[in-house]
Amino acid sequence: MSEENGGAPQVKMSVLAQFVRDLSFENMVAQKGIASADVQPDIQVQVSLDARKRAQEFQYDIVTKFKVTSKNKVNDETLFLIELDYGGIFHVEGVPDEQLHPFLLIECPRLLFPFVRRIISDVTRDGGFPPLNIDTVDFLALYRNEIARRQASEMN
């Protein structure tokens, strides 16, 4: 981006590292011997985010946490469960303080998401299920919902 508004700082963002912080996959079909005669999977995806300032100037840890549960619509038995914490270390400069929090929790997770989707797809395939390509997450809506939830809890 070029400088705008007569000398506003240029936004700089780069991904310094990406990593799996935690990964768990449970195949209940194999563990419990669930009969696969009548299986109608229902997939639920829960997403949460965490951002922390690092000791180095302009560096932030961003962790996306995904919990994916597949249940059988027929009898509500769990088929599989994935829990994935996927992180990135970002260098971010030039973002005004009042915009930094939403920037870290919207733009940074957007960059990490394709890697999360691939990991979940690979794990489900390797775990004996068809590869699961989760839908794109609207991180802006997720951020707005969390802000609204926090404001509502402060009023109570």
Side-chain angles (χ1 to χ4, degrees):
M1 292 183 186
S2 62
E3 290 194 9
E4 45 194 278
N5 299 341
Q10 183 176 353
V11 174
K12 296 178 187 173
M13 177 173 75
S14 59
V15 182
L16 303 177
Q18 294 179 197
F19 55 93
V20 173
R21 189 169 78 179
D22 191 24
L23 173 61
S24 169
F25 177 76
E26 297 178 48
N27 180 338
M28 304 305 183
V29 173
Q31 290 178 33
K32 296 180 180 179
I34 297 171
S36 60
D38 193 13
V39 174
Q40 298 174 19
D42 179 35
I43 307 290
Q44 299 294 322
V45 179
Q46 295 173 294
V47 182
S48 61
L49 304 168
D50 191 21
R52 291 198 173 96
K53 176 89 176 83
R54 294 174 61 89
Q56 297 86 349
E57 190 175 23
F58 303 120
Q59 289 189 14
Y60 301 89
D61 283 323
I62 309 299
V63 177
T64 59
K65 299 175 183 183
F66 285 77
K67 182 177 181 181
V68 182
T69 307
S70 176
K71 291 191 174 193
N72 190 349
K73 291 179 187 176
V74 175
N75 56 15
D76 203 40
E77 286 184 318
T78 300
L79 303 171
F80 68 77
L81 170 67
I82 299 172
E83 292 176 319
L84 170 62
D85 291 4
Y86 191 78
I89 301 171
F90 289 82
H91 180 97
V92 178
E93 277 186 75
V95 177
D97 287 346
E98 68 275 4
Q99 296 173 9
L100 185 60
H101 190 253
F103 186 90
L104 293 175
L105 293 177
I106 297 168
E107 297 306 322
C108 295
R110 278 185 188 159
L111 290 176
L112 297 176
F113 181 76
F115 301 95
V116 168
R117 175 186 271 160
R118 183 188 50 82
I119 291 167
I120 290 172
S121 175
D122 288 351
V123 168
T124 53
R125 184 195 66 232
D126 294 348
F129 293 90
L132 174 63
N133 287 310
I134 60 175
D135 291 336
T136 301
V137 174
D138 183 346
F139 290 104
L140 176 58
L142 189 69
Y143 181 80
R144 287 179 175 159
N145 290 343
E146 179 61 17
I147 295 299
R149 185 193 67 76
R150 287 182 183 184
Q151 288 172 344
S153 69
E154 288 173 5
M155 291 180 186
N156 294 335

